[in-house]
Every structure is written in C-alpha cells, then in structure tokens.
Amino acid sequence: MTEIDFAQLGTYERYKLMASLIVPRPIALVTTLGADGTINAAPFSMFNMMGEDPPVVMLSVNKLQDAAQKDTVTNILRDKEFVVHIADEAMAAAMHRCGDRLAPHESELDHTGLTATPSQSVRPPRIVQAPVAFECVLHETLETASRYVFIGRVQWLAVRDGLVDTEKWRVRLQEFFPVGRFGASFYINCRERFAIEAGEGLAAAQSGVGSTAIDEM
C-alpha cells in the first residue's frame, strides 16, 4: 500500500486526492434567490443525505479567495432557504453550464435555457427539467477554513410524474437516471446496476448469475 501522511500535504493536494477517490458523488443543483430577485443556480458535488428524522441534507461550498463568497453562500446565509435538485442525463449538460462564472445579476437559468417554476414552501423556485427537487430551509451551518457546510432540512419534495409509487413509497429506479461526479472533470451515469443476493459473491452479481435487477428501492 502507498502510505500518505495528510499532515505533509497542502490543501490542494488533499483536495485532489479526496475528490477523486471518494466517488461517485451525487450532484446537488442548488437554486437560491439573490437580493434583487435574480435566480441563482449552481452545481455542487460535495453533497449527500444525512438523515431522515429530521430529513436533512448536507451541502459543502468552497470559499473563494480574498474572503469573497459564492452567490449560493451569500443567498443561503441571508435567506436561509434553498432548493436542491438531482440532475439526470437529459439535463446534465445544462447542469454543468450552471457552473459557469456569471455576474450576480445574471441568472444561470437564462444562461442555460432551464425553466423556473414556483416552489411550494420556500421562495427560491424549482427547476422544471429536474426529476427531483428538495425544498430546504437552513437547519445548521458549519464553517471550516476552506468551506461553508450547510445542513438543510427538507420541507417539501417534488418528483417527476411516475417516478414514485405513492402507495408503497418506493422510487421506480428503472425510470431514474441521475448523473454523478467522478474524478477531475469526469461525470458518470448509473445505467450499469446489479443486485447482490444473500450469500452471493460480487463476481457472481456482476456476471448476473443468481442476481435480480434492481427496479425499486
């Protein structure tokens, strides 16, 4: 094994290693509102679910140089509301372009052709093209030397018609194709799926021997 002492590495080296090894990561496409009402949308791959009671998600946003803040940070700290969208293959290119650097008064939705629609429980709007949208209020904020970590409490969930069986409360995973962040500039899809039955080895599962397709969760 190659042994690496993180105490001997710089911040950038630690980032490169962690961001390329802790993969794949789900991507949060986050909408917030500027002070002038401009709709901001930005993608973040340091994101995940943290728990269900209360229902909370985690979003980590890097700090800029000279104590500057990203629009997402400024808006969340001021309004304490945001919407997290899960991007699928159909909107992956637009999601990526939401990461382009724009002036605060320019909306990434106009820049990419994505469409806004009113949310149910928060002021920032949802994105029509996204298959999943979690409307969140700020639950807690953590701050490190390099990042703001926002814990968002989910108030409302909107999903594409047909994606959720609301009698069994199961997601129809055979109809859900989100993209994730891999390493460097790479993304990954989730079309190659396998199940591992009790007592079954990974090799057998990958070859399809004795395994079943994952349709619901």
Side-chain angles (χ1 to χ4, degrees):
M1 298 289 287
T2 299
E3 309 288 346
I4 301 173
D5 182 357
F6 261 36
Q8 303 302 315
L9 297 181
T11 301
Y12 182 59
E13 288 75 22
R14 292 194 297 267
Y15 169 81
K16 287 198 300 182
L17 290 173
M18 294 180 72
S20 293
L21 291 173
I22 303 175
V23 292
R25 297 191 303 276
I27 301 168
L29 180 56
V30 179
T31 51
T32 56
L33 281 180
D36 62 355
T38 299
I39 302 171
N40 176 266
F44 301 95
S45 66
M46 291 195 183
F47 154 75
N48 220 314
M49 168 186 175
M50 292 188 69
E52 75 288 345
D53 190 17
V56 288
V57 296
M58 178 279 294
L59 174 68
S60 175
V61 184
N62 62 299
K63 295 180 179 178
L64 302 177
Q65 294 180 348
D66 302 323
Q69 292 179 345
K70 290 191 173 183
D71 295 336
T72 299
V73 170
T74 299
N75 296 340
I76 292 177
L77 289 175
R78 183 188 60 248
D79 296 335
K80 298 178 172 50
E81 295 181 330
F82 57 100
V83 182
V84 170
H85 305 82
I86 305 298
D88 61 6
E89 294 173 5
M91 62 176 298
M95 175 272 294
H96 179 80
R97 292 187 63 213
C98 283
D100 293 347
R101 184 65 63 87
L102 302 179
H105 65 276
E106 296 181 77
S107 174
E108 287 79 7
L109 300 193
D110 294 336
H111 178 64
T112 60
L114 294 173
T115 309
T117 191
S119 294
Q120 292 286 346
S121 65
V122 295
R123 290 179 59 241
R126 302 195 303 245
I127 297 173
V128 170
Q129 290 85 353
V132 177
F134 295 98
E135 300 179 8
C136 302
V137 295
L138 185 60
H139 181 76
E140 187 174 349
T141 302
L142 306 176
E143 187 175 353
T144 69
S146 63
R147 292 187 168 269
Y148 287 96
V149 180
F150 298 115
I151 311 300
R153 187 170 71 254
V154 178
Q155 300 281 94
W156 196 278
L157 168 63
V159 294
R160 181 176 293 156
D161 287 341
L163 185 56
V164 171
D165 180 340
T166 55
E167 292 185 358
K168 298 180 180 179
W169 295 113
R170 290 185 175 178
V171 177
R172 296 187 175 97
L173 294 179
Q174 72 274 22
E175 300 178 15
F176 190 34
F177 298 99
V179 295
R181 184 73 183 273
F182 201 54
S185 59
F186 294 103
Y187 292 96
I188 191 170
N189 61 37
C190 59
R191 288 187 175 271
E192 297 296 325
R193 309 175 184 188
F194 60 90
I196 301 177
E197 303 294 344
E200 182 178 54
L202 178 59
Q206 290 176 325
S207 68
V209 178
S211 63
T212 58
I214 301 176
D215 289 333
E216 296 180 335
M217 184 173 183

